[in-house]
Amino acid sequence: MDPVPIWLMRQAGRYLPEYRALREEAGDFLTCANTPEIATEITLQPIRRFAFDAAIVFSDILIIPDAMGRNLRFAEGEGPLLDPLEGAGDVASLDPECVVPGNQPLMDTLGRVRAALDPDTALIGFAGAPFTLAAYMIDGRGGGDFPRTRDLMRDDPDLLDRLLDVLSRSVAALLIGEIDAGAQAVQLFDSWAGLLNGFAFDRWSIGPARQIVAEVHAARPGIPFIGFPRGAGDAYARYRAETGIDVLQIDQGVSLPAMADLQRGGPIQGNLDPELLLAGGDALRAGARAILDAAGEGPHVFNLGHGVIKETPPDHVAELVATVRGHHREMPS
Ligand code: CP3
């Protein structure tokens, strides 16, 4: 059987010396992401080096709130910052219609990358999921605890519903625009879905994803939809079954038996610990082989459980690709 396809979340970026060199010359992250010539070059850098089976367009999930006027910027050592949403008035003023017109450079980049790629290399578009976008928009920053978002979940859950509804429409429109511009698959990143338990996960991660998947599938049938509710734990199976996604991306917290179990419900993508890629050597090879053995001959796209860590030596990535490509899958008996 053919080897398992492989690409890596954050495969373009700071661990690559050619990315750092281009940034040095061209300026800050947002300038690079919003300049099609530069974003195209950055998207292609890891493909040239490692011949991954897919390219993911160089952009960011926070371009949606930025297009809505929330003033995205990156402060050195602080990560992304946005103007925090203040109450119902700010939520009511958000316009989903400006998301596609406000992101023409991304669409231009997708067309350029598609034209430059070998026909056998897939091009993946993406968006942030509504809950994860809302958390950055409400708190105005990342960091992982999102205290203002937690307050809103308790104090005014209906307002959060309204915000997620606007964002769901925005995300669906952006993904459809990306497909029309050249994306052949799309991935939804719900990076902070792990903050939601029980009913809250159903309401604020599954609900919006179900609406987006239905809209994208209806508008552009046949485009694979990859869902990533990071940290969902026991709820991954429910997320797959109830959202209608085609491929489930799982984080490194999912054990090998649990991964094999999830694979019985459909294709999986993941889930090597990015720390093993950073470590390299025997630990990396053994970790990758254990995943390949556990996923067996079932439908699997090899990936990490989260993005490449910026200190990762590029040689380790080459070693991982060789390990995955050299692994012989069992023929079904
Ligand atoms: O995967 C890829 O190669 C495609 C590009 C991509 C970026 N961001 C580029 C980027 C993707 C898919 C993302 C998604 C993204 N952005 C997520 C979801 C995935 C995840 O990590 O959970 C989130 C939460 C964001 C928001 C965001 N943007 C953060 C937390 C940061 C890091 C800030 C920092 O200083 O480390 C960014 C900036 C960002 N987005 C960088 C890159 C390459 C780093 C900027 C730089 O190079 O200086």
Side-chain angles (χ1 to χ4, degrees), residues 237-262:
R238 211 163 75 245
Y239 184 91
R240 186 216 291 280
E242 293 181 17
T243 59
I245 56 167
D246 302 293
V247 180
L248 181 67
Q249 163 74 48
I250 54 181
D251 68 83
Q252 64 271 20
V254 176
S255 69
L256 296 173
M259 179 188 80
D261 223 37
L262 283 169

Side-chain angles (χ1 to χ4, degrees), residues 224-240:
F225 198 114
I226 311 162
F228 184 25
R230 187 167 73 93
D234 290 347
Y236 271 117
R238 211 163 75 245
Y239 184 91
R240 186 216 291 280

Side-chain angles (χ1 to χ4, degrees), residues 150-219:
R150 288 172 191 272
D151 286 348
L152 190 70
M153 286 162 59
R154 272 194 317 276
D155 299 342
D156 197 350
D158 295 345
L159 181 59
L160 184 55
D161 281 339
R162 291 207 292 285
L163 173 57
L164 295 192
D165 185 58
V166 176
L167 290 170
S168 297
R169 286 184 278 137
S170 308
V171 167
L174 187 79
L175 293 176
I176 291 167
E178 291 179 4
I179 292 165
D180 291 343
Q184 296 154 301
V186 291
Q187 179 155 339
L188 189 67
F189 287 89
D190 210 349
S191 302
W192 297 106
L195 296 175
L196 298 167
N197 293 309
F199 289 129
F201 182 80
D202 287 35
R203 181 171 178 177
W204 290 320
S205 182
I206 291 180
R210 185 198 294 125
Q211 183 183 332
I212 294 163
V213 172
E215 215 175 304
V216 173
H217 276 159

Side-chain angles (χ1 to χ4, degrees), residues 8-14 19 23 29 56-62 74 79-80 126 136 189 191-192 230 306:
L8 304 180
M9 294 187 282
R10 292 281 177 93
Q11 65 190 18
R14 282 176 293 196
Y19 172 82
R23 277 285 307 276
F29 167 72
I56 181 163
V57 68
F58 188 74
S59 179
D60 197 76
I61 64 165
L62 298 175
F74 287 90
F126 68 91
Y136 283 101
F189 287 89
S191 302
W192 297 106
R230 187 167 73 93
H306 200 198

